Amino acid sequence: MSLSTPKTISNAQPDFERPSTTVDVVMFAVRDGRLHVLLVKRADAPGEPFPGHWALPGGYIDVSKDDSLEACALRKLKEKTGVVSPYLEQLGSWGSKTRDPRGWHSTHAYFALLPAASVITPVSGANAAEADWVPIASKGVVHKLAFDHQVILEAAVERLRNKVEYTSLPAFLLPETFTLTELQTAFETVLGRALDKSSFRKRVEDAELVVALKNKFREGSNRPAQIYKLRSKTAPVFFPRAISETKSRPVKSTAKVRRTSESNF
Amino acid sequence: MSLSTPKTISNAQPDFERPSTTVDVVMFAVRDGRLHVLLVKRADAPGEPFPGHWALPGGYIDVSKDDSLEACALRKLKEKTGVVSPYLEQLGSWGSKTRDPRGWHSTHAYFALLPAASVITPVSGANAAEADWVPIASKGVVHKLAFDHQVILEAAVERLRNKVEYTSLPAFLLPETFTLTELQTAFETVLGRALDKSSFRKRVEDAELVVALKNKFREGSNRPAQIYKLRSKTAPVFFPRAISETKSRPVKSTAKVRRTSESNF
DNA sequence: ATAAGATAGTTGCATAATACAACGAACCAT
DNA sequence: ATGGTTCGTTGTATTATGCAACTATCTTAT
């Protein structure tokens, strides 16, 4: 095989065909007590694969704008939601000859947890006719997604559910300040099952996850609730053991949470 | 910016500069009761970055050979060690403008756990003058590694140590059959601390991790030990809570095991 | 043949952690 | 004032675990 590499591609890689590289971001948020993911509708332009399909926001790395993979993910997050520093975690990468009809593609997938305050109407971009928050149903969404995005989304949901068992990730889905009941509800929303109040509070206290705001209370039509904030806005806390289900309150959702052989957590 | 893409690069990606893509594999094995990693020495050829440095085995994706990222990782594993189906897990990806002096590179990193039987003298390949098993010291190795491979290796060690707390990963470092004491020793080797025997055995039994081989015993200069095999050769088991340290036996290593904010597990 | 030594495997118990339920506290609405 | 609602805490039965001691089964030495 002999071929010339364009001058602007200066990397000293051997003259092999080079896979295309993208970054996709699974952006989670809680709306109306349900977990949602941000999806964009692909353009209907000629030559575009999966025209009109829903897809994860993402796209090619722009080597002139993006200094790193994470910078690229943050750029896409900001473009779509305006959020600058959410909880962002690498989810994994998917690459194969067949996942994109245009040829060998690999994508670096991230997942982000957006605080409730920032969940506004998303911005439609150049490559996306529409963008919208779509509720998570069991493992994924009802739409048929472009490329292998259904697989990526399911991996993100599974990773999130698994990590909730022993980390404080749902805390990043809340606004800056919150009550302990709101925190517990966030956990229950992601987990899909009810938790015992006193056990949950003991976990939170032992882990030193939150800090009480003196003299700050949530006012309402009943006893005021102490308002807290996270001790760390970005780093999750790890609990020494998994949360167990409570028997006293009914389960809210049908989603089964189960650890599987899936890799990363 | 206007440039032409070589004909053999048929992907319909816009005419942007395209990052180079590699796959690296962190291969772990236990030798002489210590955790080791397989490293290769980079060639001393002109134009090669980091000549003579130790590095993780890996390299560019060969789109003519590799149908997927995982296939590429498995190919590199087989080339170096001859092992066909070890425990293989995606570790993460690293990509930036600066991590390779030749330009924008991203790598998909995997980590593998090799069974004891397959830990033979590694094969030296075309791009590697030497290859050798190097013991893990605290978080990494004593050598200075090429590229950002030190960072990747540290991430692999941390991920492995973290997952040992609540998964059965060390079981994949053993030969096909083993005794419960050997299994416990594998856990202790990776964890760097001693475990209580009865607690460990209860965990293993509750998780249904192993199956006893009838009438098979490890003979020695003392009471024979029941021989077991894994119930599943590829899928790890998840324990409901982290292993705690025993106080009755001395700690073997100085390595501190601690969960951090690092992402994936 | 017997004792000593070593590792395997089990058992019992004191302690710690948790699930569960019930209770009192603080607010609003009527 | 009274009832309703949510907040927050407390007590206790149950479960799980750490720890140590004990027995079992083999080899080797004397």
Side-chain angles (χ1 to χ4, degrees):
Chain A
M1 187 189 298
S2 104
L3 58 94
S4 64
T5 309
K7 287 196 294 292
T8 48
I9 300 185
S10 59
N11 306 6
Q13 176 176 352
D15 281 341
F16 289 144
E17 183 180 334
R18 183 177 299 204
S20 297
T21 309
T22 60
V23 170
D24 294 309
V25 186
V26 183
M27 308 177 191
F28 287 117
V30 170
R31 284 167 45 120
D32 309 324
R34 291 189 61 185
L35 190 64
H36 285 67
V37 63
L38 185 66
L39 296 180
V40 297
K41 206 161 200 171
R42 291 186 59 80
D44 229 325
E48 281 287 319
F50 296 96
H53 280 63
W54 289 98
L56 296 171
Y60 290 110
I61 290 173
D62 185 337
V63 299
S64 67
K65 285 186 190 171
D66 304 317
D67 284 354
S68 68
L69 293 175
E70 185 165 314
C72 180
L74 284 171
R75 176 172 63 84
K76 290 172 191 306
L77 254 163
K78 191 183 173 192
E79 285 173 1
K80 294 293 174 197
T81 67
V83 178
V84 174
S85 60
Y87 176 79
L88 182 66
E89 171 178 327
Q90 208 180 60
L91 175 63
S93 55
W94 280 259
S96 75
K97 188 180 285 185
T98 54
R99 62 178 291 275
D100 189 308
R102 294 167 293 189
W104 229 110
H105 274 67
S106 76
T107 191
H108 303 266
Y110 284 77
F111 86 87
L113 302 180
L114 301 188
S118 62
V119 181
I120 52 173
T121 308
V123 179
S124 295
N127 284 325
E130 289 181 57
D132 204 2
W133 291 100
V134 179
I136 297 292
S138 75
K139 296 199 303 180
V141 291
V142 294
H143 306 298
K144 175 168 172 13
L145 299 185
F147 308 108
D148 51 2
H149 286 189
Q150 183 76 34
V151 172
I152 297 173
L153 174 59
E154 286 179 9
V157 172
E158 182 178 342
R159 170 90 136 261
L160 177 59
R161 292 235 173 91
N162 280 327
K163 289 191 81 159
V164 174
E165 298 280 343
Y166 55 95
T167 73
S168 64
L169 286 199
F172 299 115
L173 294 165
L174 292 175
E176 185 102 5
T177 62
F178 49 84
T179 67
L180 289 185
T181 300
E182 289 163 359
L183 181 63
Q184 181 173 347
T185 302
F187 274 74
E188 292 173 337
T189 296
V190 178
L191 273 173
R193 66 171 192 259
L195 301 175
D196 175 68
K197 183 161 61 168
S198 70
S199 302
F200 179 80
R201 288 175 182 228
K202 186 167 193 320
R203 273 171 87 86
V204 169
E205 185 174 18
D206 289 351
E208 297 186 330
L209 174 62
V210 297
V211 183
L213 301 181
K214 283 192 186 251
N215 303 325
K216 288 274 197 176
F217 294 91
R218 168 85 73 250
E219 309 287 343
S221 60
N222 42 35
R223 177 174 174 176
Q226 173 67 55
I227 291 184
Y228 295 83
K229 65 172 182 180
L230 289 180
R231 188 176 294 271
S232 165
K233 281 190 197 175
T234 54
V237 154
F238 290 84
F239 301 109
R241 57 176 282 181
I243 286 188
S244 20
E245 189 166 343
T246 190
K247 288 169 190 164
S248 39
R249 281 201 296 144
V251 175
K252 290 178 179 176
S253 155
T254 59
K256 277 286 180 188
V257 176
R258 181 183 299 279
R259 285 180 174 169
T260 75
S261 64
E262 268 309 311
S263 55
N264 307 340
F265 50 93
Chain B
M1 185 190 298
S2 104
L3 60 94
S4 65
T5 309
K7 286 196 297 291
T8 48
I9 301 185
S10 57
N11 305 8
Q13 177 174 352
D15 281 340
F16 290 143
E17 183 180 334
R18 182 178 299 206
S20 296
T21 308
T22 60
V23 170
D24 294 311
V25 186
V26 183
M27 308 177 191
F28 286 118
V30 171
R31 284 168 43 122
D32 310 323
R34 289 190 62 185
L35 189 65
H36 286 66
V37 64
L38 184 67
L39 296 180
V40 296
K41 207 161 201 171
R42 290 187 58 82
D44 229 325
E48 280 288 317
F50 297 97
H53 280 63
W54 289 97
L56 296 172
Y60 291 109
I61 290 174
D62 185 337
V63 300
S64 66
K65 285 187 190 171
D66 305 317
D67 283 354
S68 68
L69 293 175
E70 186 167 314
C72 181
L74 284 171
R75 175 171 65 83
K76 289 170 192 308
L77 255 162
K78 191 183 172 191
E79 285 173 2
K80 295 294 174 197
T81 67
V83 177
V84 175
S85 58
Y87 176 79
L88 183 67
E89 170 177 327
Q90 209 179 59
L91 175 63
S93 56
W94 281 260
S96 75
K97 189 180 286 186
T98 55
R99 62 178 292 273
D100 190 307
R102 294 168 291 190
W104 229 110
H105 273 67
S106 76
T107 191
H108 303 266
Y110 284 77
F111 86 88
L113 302 180
L114 301 189
S118 61
V119 182
I120 52 173
T121 309
V123 180
S124 294
N127 285 325
E130 289 180 57
D132 205 3
W133 291 100
V134 179
I136 297 292
S138 76
K139 294 198 305 179
V141 291
V142 293
H143 307 299
K144 176 171 172 4
L145 300 186
F147 307 107
D148 53 0
H149 286 189
Q150 185 77 33
V151 172
I152 296 173
L153 174 59
E154 285 179 9
V157 172
E158 183 178 341
R159 169 89 136 262
L160 177 59
R161 291 236 175 89
N162 280 326
K163 290 191 79 159
V164 174
E165 298 280 342
Y166 55 95
T167 74
S168 64
L169 285 200
F172 299 114
L173 294 165
L174 292 175
E176 186 102 5
T177 62
F178 48 84
T179 67
L180 288 185
T181 300
E182 289 164 358
L183 181 62
Q184 181 174 346
T185 302
F187 273 75
E188 291 174 338
T189 296
V190 178
L191 273 173
R193 66 170 193 260
L195 302 175
D196 175 69
K197 183 160 62 168
S198 70
S199 301
F200 179 80
R201 289 177 181 227
K202 187 167 191 319
R203 273 171 87 84
V204 170
E205 186 175 19
D206 289 351
E208 298 185 328
L209 175 61
V210 297
V211 183
L213 300 180
K214 283 193 186 250
N215 303 325
K216 287 274 198 175
F217 293 91
R218 168 85 72 252
E219 309 289 343
S221 62
N222 42 36
R223 176 173 174 175
Q226 173 68 55
I227 290 184
Y228 296 83
K229 65 172 184 179
L230 289 180
R231 189 176 293 272
S232 164
K233 281 190 197 176
T234 53
V237 153
F238 290 83
F239 302 109
R241 57 177 281 183
I243 282 189
S244 24
E245 189 166 345
T246 189
K247 286 169 190 164
S248 39
R249 282 199 297 146
V251 175
K252 292 178 179 177
S253 156
T254 59
K256 277 287 180 187
V257 176
R258 181 181 299 280
R259 285 180 176 171
T260 74
S261 64
E262 267 309 310
S263 55
N264 306 340
F265 52 91

